[in-house]
Amino acid sequence: MRTAGLRTAGLVLAGVLVLAGAVAGWAYLRLDGNIKSVDIDQALGDDRPPRRTPAPSASPVPEGPLNILVLGSDTRSGAENARLGGGDGGGGRSDVTMIVHLDAGRTSATVVSIPRDTLVDRPSCPLPSGGRTQPRQGAMFNTAYELGGPVCAVKTVERLTDIRMDHYVEIDFAGFAALVDAVGGVTVTTEQDIDDEDSHLRLDEGTHLLDGEQALALARTRHGIGDGSDLGRIGLQQQLVEALLEQISSGGLFTDPARLYRIADTVTGSLTTDTGLDSLGELTDLGGSLAGLSADRVETVLMPVVQAPWNRNRVVADEPEAEELWESLR
């Protein structure tokens, strides 16, 4: 009886392990298959700033600094994006643009926000159809993504900064809102009442725990804060990034596999990346290299800008301060 019991227990345990392995394999394949990608290297070829990150080595932490272009897009695709303000159709704009610069040791980071209203020299960009966009001087920055998608967004940022973007990551409206909900919301403090009829956000001055939809509305708010320009909105976006990092680092996510999976499923289902980050393994490797990076070692800054002399509703790079910032990230 004892031998039969042990044999039965062993078969049950083996069955559980096989089932667990199958579930884990299914989960990996699902998460891996969620991620959409764009081959930016192939599209842009050699017409780019030089790559400064050394070739991969055996070190568990990748060597050299890393620059990642992160975009939040108001894509019109999908019912949830439309409900959250993305509108109809399949196009979109880059509502949020940040360059995330990771230092060589991955122990500190600088996040630089580029105002969407910045006037730039937009280069000619290749299109998936085989054609090209027309170059234009003094174009609004976010038209690059609107006309040429991720490839043109990367090319325009590289032309503006002379910095090679090692990777590209894009998250849409629905993905950002779902991520905030998945981590339990974010806590922010507003220094004035907010009542923005465009973002539909109403908050009294003070500290608030925001859900995903409220956080998205805050990221889109510009009217009724500061001078009503995009610069005030960027300040709110940077505050949200810091609050989200704090929540992730202090929320005990890595001790709750089921919750971690839900968050991973949410994030990967809303991501578009370059082909260097389009697998769960590559994203996991990047995340693992950031184990020593704490939220208090992340600095958020705004690209130095001044009001455009010929258009009070637009801004241009403030030189030489902007060039000094880009030089520090090269």
Side-chain angles (χ1 to χ4, degrees):
M1 290 291 294
R2 178 178 175 83
T3 301
L6 288 174
R7 186 180 298 116
T8 301
L11 289 173
V12 171
L13 177 58
V16 169
L17 291 175
V18 169
L19 180 60
V23 170
W26 171 85
Y28 184 95
L29 289 174
R30 175 181 170 84
L31 296 178
D32 201 58
N34 279 346
I35 305 166
K36 302 179 290 292
S37 65
V38 177
D39 193 343
I40 290 172
D41 286 343
Q42 174 67 26
L44 295 184
D46 296 328
D47 185 19
R48 308 179 66 184
R51 190 186 298 277
R52 290 178 168 85
T53 303
S57 70
S59 171
V61 178
E63 298 176 359
L66 205 65
N67 291 296
I68 305 172
L69 181 62
V70 178
L71 260 62
S73 68
D74 69 342
T75 176
R76 277 96 163 140
S77 62
E80 185 63 6
N81 279 311
R83 186 185 72 80
L84 292 170
D88 300 319
R93 294 162 296 183
S94 52
D95 254 21
V96 180
T97 302
M98 297 179 176
I99 298 173
V100 178
H101 173 81
L102 302 171
D103 76 341
R106 307 295 188 266
T107 57
S108 67
T110 303
V111 180
V112 183
S113 294
I114 301 177
R116 56 177 286 178
D117 295 341
T118 305
L119 299 180
V120 300
D121 290 341
R122 189 183 67 222
S124 173
C125 305
L127 293 170
S129 63
R132 299 188 68 89
T133 64
Q134 291 296 315
R136 182 181 171 186
Q137 293 184 325
M140 206 162 90
F141 172 76
N142 74 336
T143 61
Y145 178 92
E146 185 176 9
L147 294 175
V151 170
C152 201
V154 169
K155 189 172 181 66
T156 300
V157 169
E158 291 184 342
R159 181 66 57 87
L160 174 68
T161 65
D162 195 29
I163 299 172
R164 174 77 168 238
M165 295 295 110
D166 299 294
H167 291 298
Y168 171 84
V169 175
E170 176 189 331
I171 188 166
D172 60 28
F173 274 12
F176 176 77
L179 173 60
V180 171
D181 284 334
V183 301
V186 291
T187 301
V188 300
T189 299
T190 59
E191 298 179 354
Q192 63 184 94
D193 295 344
I194 295 177
D195 187 355
D196 189 330
E197 62 182 18
D198 289 341
S199 67
H200 308 295
L201 181 66
R202 290 173 176 79
L203 289 177
D204 294 332
E205 175 187 354
T207 300
H208 305 272
L209 176 64
L210 305 182
D211 63 21
E213 194 164 342
Q214 290 172 314
L216 176 62
L218 185 65
R220 302 182 68 206
T221 292
R222 66 186 294 176
H223 302 296
I225 56 169
D227 60 1
S229 73
D230 197 41
L231 304 187
R233 172 164 55 186
I234 284 175
L236 296 176
Q237 292 169 353
Q238 291 177 336
Q239 188 179 359
L240 278 170
V241 169
E242 293 168 356
L244 188 57
L245 289 173
E246 285 287 350
Q247 182 68 5
I248 291 173
S249 62
S250 64
L253 299 180
F254 300 100
T255 61
D256 186 343
R259 187 179 176 206
L260 187 59
Y261 171 78
R262 289 195 300 272
I263 293 173
D265 192 32
T266 295
V267 172
T268 56
S270 304
L271 281 186
T272 300
T273 72
D274 67 285
T275 50
L277 284 180
D278 64 352
S279 74
L280 190 60
E282 289 162 332
L283 286 171
T284 301
D285 287 345
L286 176 61
S289 76
L290 304 180
L293 178 62
S294 59
D296 61 355
R297 296 296 305 276
V298 178
E299 180 184 9
T300 55
V301 299
L302 173 68
M303 169 188 165
V305 293
V306 293
Q307 185 181 87
W310 57 92
N311 189 335
R312 62 184 301 273
N313 295 317
R314 301 288 181 260
V315 295
V316 294
D318 186 10
E319 301 295 359
E321 287 79 2
E323 174 55 29
E324 290 171 357
L325 172 62
W326 306 138
E327 180 61 33
S328 72
L329 303 184
R330 291 178 187 139

